[in-house]
Amino acid sequence: MSGKNSKALLLITLMLCITLAVYYSAAMLANAQQPTYTSGSCQNASGSGVLPYQREMGPSDVNVTLFNRYAIRTIYIGDYGLVTVNDTLLVANNGTATASSWIFYLAADVYPNLRYLAAYGNGTNLNVIGAPSFSSLVGMKVDFTSIGGLPINSSLLVTLIQQFSGLVSLEPGSQYVGLLFYKYVISPYSTASYNITVSLPSGAQTLEPVNMTAGTVNSFNCTRLGSFSNGKYDYIFSGGPLIEVSVIRRAEITVDGYIYTTETHRVRNIGPANLTSIHFLVPLSILPDSLTVGDSSGKLSSGNNGLIVSASFRYGVAPNWTYTYYVSYKTALDDYRVSQNGLSVLRLQPVTGYNGSATFEQFSLVLPPHAQLISTNQSFENAGIQDNKIVVTYTFRNVTFLNVGSIEFKYIEDIAQVFQRPILISFGVFAVGFIYIVTRKLFPRTVPVSIAREEEVKARGLTATLKEFSSNYEEKTALTLEMEKLMEDRRKGRISKRAYLEQIEHNRRRIASLTNGINEAKKKLVPANRRYATLIRQLETYEEERENARASLENLELRRRQGKVSGDVYNRLKYENTRKIEKATSGIDSIVVQLRQETL
C-alpha cells in the first residue's frame, strides 16, 4: 500500500477519534471539576483498582496541576487478532505555569506486544519519549514542546493510538478466544469522566462479560476515576479468526512506466476453527484487471472493493495448519514518483495491510535497467545486482502497516542522463563511482533469484513439469515449517505425544513423496534451461543452509538442557541460527514464486 493511502487511513482514524471526543466534550465540559490527587474508585465500573505503588508518587514527581476532564477509550479487536486502542482525553492545566508534557503508562505485561504508538494534540503529531518506569509500568511522556506547551487555565485534546498483537489468544480447552486488557489509560492524573467502548471483530459474539455481537458496544461509563486506576476486562468471544502471517513482497519498476508487484503470503491458522477466506489491503491505485490471487493450483476466487481484497481459499485451513497463496498486481509508476532536482523520488509503503501483525515481512525494490540508486531514508538489509538491475531488500518483524511508514528512494533512471545535465556532471561522477564501489565491496554480486519474464517457457511440455515442481516445493516447505512448529509445541507440552507422533509420521511420508516428485521434475528442468539449472542449484543450497541451521539449533537446545552453554551464548546462537533459517526459507520462497508465475 502506498504511503499516501496509509496516511489516509491514519487520518480517518484520527478524525473519528476527534469527532467522538468533541461529541462527549459538549456534555462534559460544563460539569467537569478538578479532582483531587487521590486514589478514588470509579463508580459503576467493576474491577477498577489502584496499583500498589500509587502512594510512591506525589506532587514532586508529576505535575499534579494537570487533570483529565474526560477520557474516551475505544478498543478495536481486529478480525485477525490486532488490537487497536484509541484514547482521547481532554487534558486541563489548572496550575500556575505552562505544562511541557503529559505522562501515561503502559503495563509491563502488554508493553512487549506494542507494535505502534502515536500521539496527537488537537490533531498535531506529538513526540512520545520515555519517562521513569516501575517494575510493572513503562513510563511514556507526550511532549508538548512542539505546540508551545499547555498554558495555564487551558485544555488540550490529546489522542493516543496504540496497536498490539499477540494479546488475543485461545481460551484453554474451548472454541473461544479471549482478550484480557486494561479498561483505562494508566495515568498519574485524576479523570473526571470516563467512557469505554469495545468493537468486536466481524462475526464475533461474546461469552463474557456481557452478551455482545460484532460492532461497537458501549461497555460502561464512570466518573471521578482516581489516578493510577488500572482495572482489566476479559473479553471472551467466538467467531474471531486468528492468524500468523509472513509476506515476501517484490516490487519491480518496469521500463514501460509501471510497478509490477508480486507477493507470497504464508498464513498460519492459530484460531479454533477452519479458516476459509482472508482479506487484506492493496494500493488503491492498482490498474483494473491487473490483480491476481492464486495458490499453487491456480487462481483463487477473489475481488476487491477499493483498498480491500477478499479471497476464498481452495479448502478450509485447519487450526495449526499453514496455507500459502500469491498476489500480483500493477500500478502506475507516476502515482508514486516525482521529479526533484533531476532525480526520481519514489515513495512506497513496504508492509502489506493486514488487520493483524505480520511476524515477518520482506520487501524488495527492483530498479529498472541502467538506473542508479542515490539514497533511501531507511536502512536496508541487503543490496545487490540481479540481472543487471539494482535490488534493495528490507526485512521487518512483528509489524503493522502503520508503524513502518513509507520508504523514500532517490535514484537516477538512466545514468546517461546525468552527463547530459551540466549542473549534475560533478555530482553524477562522484555519486555513481561511490555507489558502484560500495555495491561491489559491501554487496557482492549475487546469484539471480528471479526469472526474467521476457522469455516464455519455450517447450510447452515443461509448463506442467514446472507447475508440479513449484507446487511440490511449496507444499514441502509448508510441511517442513509445520513440523518445526509441532516439535516446538511438543517441547512446551501443547500437544499430546500420540498426536505429535501421528502428525510427524504423516508429514514425513508426505515429504518423502514430494521429494521424489521434485527429483523427477529436476531431471527434466535442469537440462532444458540453463536458468532453471542455476535456480535449482540455488534452491538446493538454501535447503542445505536451512537444514544445517536447524540441526545446529537442535544441538544448541540439547546443550542448553545439559547445562553446557550459558544464557548469553544460547540467546546469541539461537538468534543467529533462527535468522539463517528465515533467510534460507525466504530465498526458497523468492525462487519458487517466480517459477510459479511462469505457469499462470
Side-chain angles (χ1 to χ4, degrees):
M1 187 173 66
S2 68
K4 63 181 180 182
N5 289 331
S6 63
K7 290 179 181 177
L9 289 176
L10 185 58
L11 180 59
I12 292 170
T13 303
L14 177 60
M15 292 304 296
L16 287 174
C17 294
I18 294 174
T19 302
L20 191 58
V22 172
Y23 173 81
Y24 278 97
S25 64
M28 297 177 183
L29 273 173
N31 298 323
Q33 301 176 357
Q34 181 182 1
T36 58
Y37 189 75
T38 64
S39 59
S41 63
C42 186
Q43 299 172 6
N44 304 322
S46 60
S48 63
V50 180
L51 296 176
Y53 39 74
Q54 190 269 334
R55 295 299 182 185
E56 297 176 7
M57 295 191 67
S60 62
D61 300 295
V62 294
N63 184 354
V64 294
T65 61
L66 294 181
F67 71 99
N68 305 318
R69 290 187 181 275
Y70 67 79
I72 302 167
R73 164 157 284 191
T74 305
I75 302 173
Y76 300 93
I77 307 174
D79 287 347
Y80 302 126
L82 185 69
V83 177
T84 303
V85 181
N86 288 346
D87 292 310
T88 302
L89 309 97
L90 189 65
V91 179
N93 182 1
N94 204 33
T96 59
T98 297
S100 61
S101 62
W102 177 85
I103 294 175
F104 70 100
Y105 296 89
L106 291 174
D109 59 341
V110 300
Y111 178 73
N113 300 85
L114 180 68
R115 300 293 175 249
Y116 176 79
L117 172 64
Y120 297 85
N122 288 342
T124 300
N125 185 246
L126 301 176
N127 289 331
V128 181
I129 57 180
S133 301
F134 302 89
S135 58
S136 299
L137 289 181
V138 178
M140 297 287 180
K141 182 186 294 185
V142 179
D143 188 1
F144 293 161
T145 304
S146 62
I147 56 174
L150 177 58
I152 60 174
N153 298 322
S154 62
S155 301
L156 177 68
L157 191 68
V158 175
T159 301
L160 300 177
I161 301 176
Q162 307 159 70
Q163 287 189 324
F164 300 86
S165 69
L167 296 180
V168 180
S169 59
L170 281 172
E171 291 294 308
S174 75
Q175 293 296 304
Y176 293 90
V177 295
L179 168 66
L180 182 64
F181 200 75
Y182 291 84
K183 299 177 184 179
Y184 322 114
V185 178
I186 302 176
S187 165
Y189 319 108
S190 297
T191 303
S193 182
Y194 214 106
N195 172 267
I196 300 95
T197 300
V198 178
S199 178
L200 298 176
S202 59
Q205 183 168 353
T206 58
L207 180 67
E208 294 178 3
V210 293
N211 186 21
M212 293 188 266
T213 56
T216 301
V217 179
N218 286 321
S219 300
F220 55 79
N221 297 283
C222 57
T223 58
R224 297 187 65 80
L225 183 69
S227 57
F228 287 98
S229 294
N230 70 330
K232 286 184 176 182
Y233 243 158
D234 192 1
Y235 296 93
I236 302 175
F237 55 93
S238 63
L242 293 177
I243 62 171
E244 289 179 348
V245 61
S246 63
V247 180
I248 297 174
R249 190 173 178 214
R250 181 183 177 92
E252 181 166 356
I253 301 174
T254 62
V255 293
D256 53 351
Y258 296 102
I259 302 175
Y260 178 68
T261 302
T262 56
E263 301 174 355
T264 299
H265 297 235
R266 176 177 285 118
V267 176
R268 180 169 173 265
N269 181 10
I270 58 174
N274 284 0
L275 186 67
T276 59
S277 63
I278 202 161
H279 55 266
F280 54 93
L281 302 180
V282 294
L284 185 62
S285 57
I286 63 173
L287 299 180
D289 302 324
S290 72
L291 176 67
T292 300
V293 183
D295 62 8
S296 58
S297 298
K299 292 184 179 181
L300 295 175
S301 174
S302 64
N304 68 302
N305 180 15
L307 290 168
I308 302 175
V309 175
S310 300
S312 298
F313 293 153
R314 199 170 302 279
Y315 54 83
V317 182
N320 293 319
W321 284 74
T322 300
Y323 188 86
T324 300
Y325 67 98
Y326 310 93
V327 181
S328 63
Y329 52 85
K330 289 173 67 175
T331 51
L333 176 60
D334 286 340
D335 287 343
Y336 305 91
R337 179 188 60 178
V338 296
S339 295
Q340 189 178 94
N341 298 325
L343 301 177
S344 291
V345 180
L346 179 69
R347 294 181 180 90
L348 293 177
Q349 165 62 256
V351 175
T352 308
Y354 273 99
N355 201 4
S357 173
T359 57
F360 176 83
E361 286 245 11
Q362 184 182 87
F363 172 73
S364 297
L365 174 69
V366 183
L367 295 178
H370 312 300
Q372 187 66 57
L373 180 67
I374 301 301
S375 66
T376 72
N377 65 343
Q378 290 194 34
S379 299
F380 48 78
E381 182 184 50
N382 192 18
I385 307 296
Q386 297 175 7
D387 296 336
N388 296 318
K389 303 171 187 176
I390 293 178
V391 181
V392 189
T393 301
Y394 298 79
T395 298
F396 308 96
R397 288 174 176 78
N398 296 319
V399 293
T400 73
F401 66 93
L402 287 181
N403 66 337
V404 174
S406 298
I407 300 180
E408 180 182 273
F409 303 89
K410 293 184 178 180
Y411 65 98
I412 302 170
E413 294 198 27
D414 190 334
I415 197 62
Q417 294 177 0
V418 175
F419 302 100
Q420 297 170 4
R421 304 173 187 268
I423 297 177
L424 293 178
I425 289 179
S426 58
F427 169 76
V429 172
F430 172 78
V432 172
F434 178 76
I435 294 295
Y436 177 80
I437 292 171
V438 170
T439 301
R440 296 292 292 183
K441 296 293 185 181
L442 298 182
F443 310 106
R445 188 178 184 89
T446 59
V447 178
V449 295
S450 65
I451 294 179
R453 297 188 58 85
E454 71 270 15
E455 180 181 350
E456 297 295 330
V457 178
K458 295 180 180 179
R460 282 184 171 270
L462 286 182
T463 302
T465 304
L466 193 59
K467 185 173 183 178
E468 179 186 4
F469 179 87
S470 303
S471 299
N472 288 345
Y473 231 110
E474 290 163 358
E475 186 177 353
K476 179 183 176 182
T477 301
L479 289 173
T480 301
L481 294 174
E482 183 181 329
M483 288 178 67
E484 293 173 2
K485 182 61 174 62
L486 285 169
M487 293 175 185
E488 180 183 351
D489 289 345
R490 179 56 189 156
R491 281 196 298 268
K492 295 182 178 180
R494 296 172 180 169
I495 186 174
S496 68
K497 182 177 180 180
R498 179 177 178 181
Y500 165 76
L501 292 175
E502 288 178 352
Q503 190 62 55
I504 286 290
E505 182 59 25
H506 168 77
N507 286 6
R508 283 175 176 166
R509 288 197 301 268
R510 180 57 181 160
I511 287 176
S513 175
L514 292 169
T515 301
N516 289 336
I518 290 170
N519 290 335
E520 289 299 318
K522 284 181 185 178
K523 295 177 182 178
K524 300 177 182 179
L525 295 172
V526 169
N529 188 292
R530 187 167 56 187
R531 291 183 293 114
Y532 293 166
T534 300
L535 291 169
I536 288 172
R537 282 196 298 270
Q538 186 65 54
L539 278 173
E540 292 171 344
T541 300
Y542 282 136
E543 285 277 14
E544 184 178 355
E545 290 174 354
R546 185 169 63 179
E547 289 301 318
N548 290 340
R550 188 164 55 196
S552 297
L553 204 55
E554 291 174 357
N555 182 57
L556 180 64
E557 293 289 347
L558 177 61
R559 292 171 60 198
R560 184 198 183 194
R561 290 194 296 269
Q562 295 173 343
K564 296 181 178 180
V565 62
S566 66
D568 290 342
V569 173
Y570 168 81
N571 291 332
R572 177 174 58 82
L573 293 178
K574 182 178 180 180
Y575 173 79
E576 290 176 356
N577 284 290
T578 301
R579 286 282 292 115
K580 289 178 182 178
I581 292 172
E582 290 175 350
K583 291 187 71 172
T585 302
S586 297
I588 291 170
D589 287 342
S590 297
I591 295 175
V592 174
V593 69
Q594 295 299 323
L595 290 171
R596 185 197 61 81
Q597 288 288 335
E598 295 289 336
T599 67
L600 293 180

